[in-house]
Amino acid sequence: MPPTLRTTLCEIRDDLHVLRRMVAARGHIETIQGIDALIGVAEAEAIKIIRCIDRRA
């Protein structure tokens, strides 16, 4: 996998975690749950994409 794609996926993941911490600090429970769901979906999709690209390499 091109390093730039992997880096981009990691940066997006990291940004979602930063957003979650910011929202958690404000106590918005429903928003935190939504962000957690997005993080889960994003990580699952990233893993699928990385595996697919790595198999082709």
Side-chain angles (χ1 to χ4, degrees):
M1 167 186 298
T4 54
L5 178 56
R6 188 179 299 266
T7 300
T8 300
L9 290 170
C10 290
E11 287 173 352
I12 291 169
R13 180 203 58 215
D14 294 345
D15 289 345
L16 285 170
H17 283 287
V18 169
L19 177 60
R20 186 196 186 285
R21 284 191 296 275
M22 288 173 31
V23 171
R26 295 187 179 133
H28 299 284
I29 301 301
E30 289 179 5
T31 305
I32 293 168
Q33 292 169 342
I35 293 170
D36 284 345
L38 287 173
I39 289 170
V41 169
E43 287 179 343
E45 291 300 315
I47 289 168
K48 281 196 267 183
I49 292 167
I50 290 168
R51 286 182 181 156
C52 181
I53 291 171
D54 286 347
R55 273 183 278 187
R56 292 180 186 171

